[in-house]
Amino acid sequence: VPADIGLLIAGWLLYALFCFSLCLVIAPLSEMSEVMEKFVPVTTYVMIPFSGLLYLVSWMKPSVREYFLLSPFVNGMEMMRKGIWGEEITAYYNIWNPLACSAVAALIGLVLCRRVRQTLTVE
Protein backbone atom coordinates (compact mmCIF):
# COMPACT_ATOMS: atom_id res chain seq x y z
CA VAL A 1 0.00 0.00 0.00
CA PRO A 2 1.49 3.39 -0.93
CA ALA A 3 2.36 5.70 1.93
CA ASP A 4 0.68 8.72 0.29
CA ILE A 5 -1.67 7.82 -2.56
CA GLY A 6 -2.35 11.50 -3.32
CA LEU A 7 1.32 12.30 -3.87
CA LEU A 8 1.73 9.17 -5.97
CA ILE A 9 -1.19 10.16 -8.22
CA ALA A 10 -0.04 13.81 -8.38
CA GLY A 11 3.45 12.73 -9.44
CA TRP A 12 2.03 10.37 -12.03
CA LEU A 13 -0.28 13.09 -13.38
CA LEU A 14 2.61 15.58 -13.63
CA TYR A 15 4.73 12.98 -15.40
CA ALA A 16 1.88 12.16 -17.78
CA LEU A 17 1.11 15.85 -18.39
CA PHE A 18 4.69 16.55 -19.39
CA CYS A 19 4.81 13.46 -21.61
CA PHE A 20 1.59 14.57 -23.32
CA SER A 21 2.83 18.11 -23.87
CA LEU A 22 6.11 16.77 -25.21
CA CYS A 23 4.17 14.56 -27.62
CA LEU A 24 2.34 17.66 -28.82
CA VAL A 25 5.72 18.95 -29.96
CA ILE A 26 7.12 15.68 -31.31
CA ALA A 27 4.08 14.67 -33.40
CA PRO A 28 4.00 17.71 -35.71
CA LEU A 29 7.79 17.77 -35.98
CA SER A 30 7.83 14.15 -37.09
CA GLU A 31 5.14 14.99 -39.64
CA MET A 32 7.28 17.85 -40.98
CA SER A 33 10.54 15.92 -41.17
CA GLU A 34 11.42 12.34 -42.05
CA VAL A 35 14.65 12.69 -40.06
CA MET A 36 12.73 13.63 -36.92
CA GLU A 37 10.51 10.61 -37.36
CA LYS A 38 13.59 8.35 -37.30
CA PHE A 39 15.23 10.33 -34.49
CA VAL A 40 12.43 9.98 -31.91
CA PRO A 41 12.82 6.24 -31.09
CA VAL A 42 16.55 6.69 -30.50
CA THR A 43 15.91 9.70 -28.29
CA THR A 44 13.49 7.79 -26.07
CA TYR A 45 16.15 5.20 -25.28
CA VAL A 46 18.71 7.89 -24.56
CA MET A 47 16.26 9.65 -22.21
CA ILE A 48 15.86 6.63 -19.89
CA PRO A 49 18.90 7.51 -17.72
CA PHE A 50 17.70 11.12 -17.50
CA SER A 51 14.14 10.22 -16.50
CA GLY A 52 14.94 9.59 -12.84
CA LEU A 53 13.86 5.97 -13.06
CA LEU A 54 17.17 4.35 -12.16
CA TYR A 55 18.32 6.55 -9.24
CA LEU A 56 17.18 8.72 -6.36
CA VAL A 57 18.08 12.38 -6.48
CA SER A 58 19.11 12.15 -2.82
CA TRP A 59 22.01 9.92 -3.91
CA MET A 60 23.52 12.82 -5.84
CA LYS A 61 25.82 15.52 -4.51
CA PRO A 62 23.93 18.78 -3.79
CA SER A 63 25.68 20.59 -6.65
CA VAL A 64 24.66 17.85 -9.13
CA ARG A 65 21.19 17.50 -7.59
CA GLU A 66 20.23 21.00 -8.76
CA TYR A 67 20.85 20.04 -12.38
CA PHE A 68 18.85 16.82 -12.15
CA LEU A 69 15.92 18.72 -10.65
CA LEU A 70 15.72 20.85 -13.80
CA SER A 71 14.21 17.82 -15.54
CA PRO A 72 10.40 17.60 -15.28
CA PHE A 73 10.68 13.83 -15.55
CA VAL A 74 12.87 13.61 -12.45
CA ASN A 75 10.48 15.77 -10.41
CA GLY A 76 7.49 13.60 -11.29
CA MET A 77 9.41 10.40 -10.56
CA GLU A 78 10.58 11.71 -7.19
CA MET A 79 6.99 12.60 -6.27
CA MET A 80 5.86 9.09 -7.17
CA ARG A 81 8.66 7.55 -5.12
CA LYS A 82 7.80 9.71 -2.10
CA GLY A 83 4.16 8.70 -2.50
CA ILE A 84 5.08 5.02 -2.53
CA TRP A 85 7.81 4.89 0.12
CA GLY A 86 6.85 7.83 2.33
CA GLU A 87 9.30 8.71 5.08
CA GLU A 88 11.62 5.79 4.24
CA ILE A 89 13.33 7.88 1.54
CA THR A 90 14.38 11.49 1.11
CA ALA A 91 12.82 12.89 -2.04
CA TYR A 92 13.57 16.21 -3.69
CA TYR A 93 11.04 17.64 -6.11
CA ASN A 94 9.52 20.86 -7.33
CA ILE A 95 5.91 20.83 -8.53
CA TRP A 96 6.24 24.06 -10.50
CA ASN A 97 9.01 22.85 -12.79
CA PRO A 98 6.93 20.17 -14.56
CA LEU A 99 3.91 22.46 -14.67
CA ALA A 100 5.84 25.34 -16.25
CA CYS A 101 7.68 23.08 -18.71
CA SER A 102 4.41 21.38 -19.65
CA ALA A 103 2.71 24.70 -20.28
CA VAL A 104 5.54 25.93 -22.50
CA ALA A 105 5.80 22.64 -24.41
CA ALA A 106 2.02 22.44 -24.86
CA LEU A 107 1.90 25.99 -26.20
CA ILE A 108 4.70 25.30 -28.67
CA GLY A 109 3.12 21.97 -29.59
CA LEU A 110 -0.30 23.46 -30.25
CA VAL A 111 1.22 26.14 -32.48
CA LEU A 112 3.12 23.45 -34.39
CA CYS A 113 -0.03 21.31 -34.67
CA ARG A 114 -1.92 24.23 -36.14
CA ARG A 115 0.85 24.87 -38.66
CA VAL A 116 1.06 21.18 -39.70
CA ARG A 117 -2.70 20.88 -39.91
CA GLN A 118 -2.74 23.40 -42.76
CA THR A 119 -0.44 21.21 -44.85
CA LEU A 120 -2.00 17.80 -44.17
CA THR A 121 -4.07 16.07 -46.80
CA VAL A 122 -6.60 13.48 -45.70
CA GLU A 123 -6.86 10.43 -47.96
Side-chain angles (χ1 to χ4, degrees):
V1 177
D4 186 354
I5 191 79
L7 190 59
L8 172 65
I9 293 171
W12 182 80
L13 287 173
L14 279 177
Y15 203 94
L17 176 67
F18 184 68
C19 287
F20 174 72
S21 59
L22 199 57
C23 287
L24 282 176
V25 173
I26 292 171
L29 288 178
S30 66
E31 188 63 36
M32 291 177 183
S33 167
E34 185 74 27
V35 173
M36 185 66 179
E37 190 173 337
K38 303 292 185 204
F39 184 68
V40 170
V42 175
T43 307
T44 55
Y45 286 114
V46 171
M47 283 301 296
I48 289 173
F50 300 106
S51 68
L53 177 67
L54 306 173
Y55 54 85
L56 290 170
V57 175
S58 62
W59 296 347
M60 306 296 164
K61 293 180 183 179
S63 59
V64 177
R65 186 180 303 148
E66 295 173 20
Y67 292 109
F68 277 99
L69 289 175
L70 294 175
S71 169
F73 292 120
V74 172
N75 286 290
M77 190 61 69
E78 286 286 302
M79 288 177 67
M80 288 188 274
R81 278 198 188 102
K82 185 70 170 180
I84 292 172
W85 299 107
E87 298 301 319
E88 294 182 28
I89 64 164
T90 303
Y92 297 93
Y93 57 88
N94 180 2
I95 295 172
W96 299 109
N97 182 335
L99 285 175
C101 291
S102 296
V104 169
L107 182 65
I108 292 169
L110 289 173
V111 168
L112 287 171
C113 284
R114 187 176 186 119
R115 180 173 291 169
V116 167
R117 193 171 170 189
Q118 295 169 352
T119 62
L120 284 178
T121 55
V122 179
E123 293 180 10

